[in-house]
Amino acid sequence: MADTKATGRARRTAKTIRATALAVALTGLLSTLSLGCSNVKELDYTPARMDPEPARTKTKQVSSSLLEMTGVKGKVTEPGPSVTRCREYGDDLFSMSHPWSVYEITDEQVDTGITNLRKALTENGWKITKDGKANSQAQDPEIYAENDAEQFALHVTGSKKSATGDPMILFKVVSKCFKAESAKSLDGEY
């Protein structure tokens, strides 16, 4: 009798496992059918129509204005903005990324630059979303900000002289997604 009960439980468990697997498979199939075959996500804004070269120029202008806001004179790293495709939202969408820094400056210039930038950002349409210290041993000052009108976001860190490096202000400027004329116009962009 005990064997019969155990066999019955094993059959019910096997049926439950098969039924669960079938339900999971059907749920996946139904969600694919209701969404279509595309895995493209929706943006919560309408991307501005702009091709890579004008977007690159705009990104350089935003970066230049941020440098002016610091009031710091030093050397600026050379590499310009690069294209990053926003493939999860569509093949013809891309954003610009521009990491750069100001170097050959002093610790005092780092402090002055961050203070000036903090004040100037809010005066120039930027909303500061985080203002504090980096999560690092050095606890360098850092600011995160967004400018909805310009469609850019910013992360800046003021790095003072340490055993591993000289003073500098590091910037990362990133745009929202732009819509290119076509996906083909993004081929070969960097």
Side-chain angles (χ1 to χ4, degrees):
M1 182 110 177
D3 286 338
T4 307
K5 285 184 182 180
T7 304
R9 273 195 300 262
R11 283 186 191 143
R12 281 192 301 275
T13 301
K15 285 182 183 179
T16 302
I17 290 170
R18 282 193 299 270
T20 303
L22 181 60
V24 168
L26 284 174
T27 302
L29 178 62
L30 290 175
S31 64
T32 300
L33 291 174
S34 66
L35 293 174
C37 294
S38 173
N39 288 329
V40 175
K41 297 178 184 175
E42 296 270 337
L43 290 170
D44 61 356
Y45 61 92
T46 301
R49 168 69 183 87
M50 192 176 301
D51 283 328
E53 268 320 300
R56 190 173 275 115
T57 300
K58 182 175 181 171
T59 306
K60 287 178 184 178
Q61 290 168 345
V62 168
S63 291
S64 292
S65 71
L66 292 166
L67 177 59
E68 287 175 23
M69 288 182 211
T70 67
V72 171
K73 302 288 185 221
K75 289 193 174 180
V76 178
T77 53
E78 285 299 317
S82 62
V83 170
T84 303
R85 292 184 82 159
C86 304
R87 287 191 192 276
E88 67 271 24
Y89 300 107
D91 286 342
D92 59 347
L93 298 176
F94 69 98
S95 69
M96 299 303 299
S97 176
H98 190 201
W100 58 279
S101 61
V102 182
Y103 62 102
E104 288 193 6
I105 58 176
T106 65
D107 283 349
E108 293 76 25
Q109 287 175 298
V110 170
D111 288 335
T112 300
I114 294 293
T115 300
N116 291 346
L117 185 63
R118 184 178 289 118
K119 182 180 178 199
L121 283 171
T122 56
E123 294 172 353
N124 287 281
W126 290 82
K127 178 184 173 193
I128 295 176
T129 58
K130 181 183 178 197
D131 187 354
K133 297 188 184 283
N135 187 16
S136 66
Q137 186 175 1
Q139 297 282 296
D140 293 322
E142 74 176 351
I143 298 171
Y144 287 85
E146 298 173 350
N147 188 320
D148 288 335
E150 294 291 329
Q151 298 190 341
F152 280 88
L154 161 72
H155 176 216
V156 61
T157 306
S159 180
K160 295 187 178 180
K161 185 166 180 65
S162 68
T164 58
D166 290 326
M168 66 177 64
I169 302 174
L170 301 112
F171 291 82
K172 176 132 188 201
V173 178
V174 180
S175 75
K176 286 188 174 184
C177 294
F178 294 111
K179 184 173 183 65
E181 180 179 333
S182 68
K184 188 167 178 74
S185 68
L186 296 173
D187 290 349
E189 288 294 333
Y190 56 93

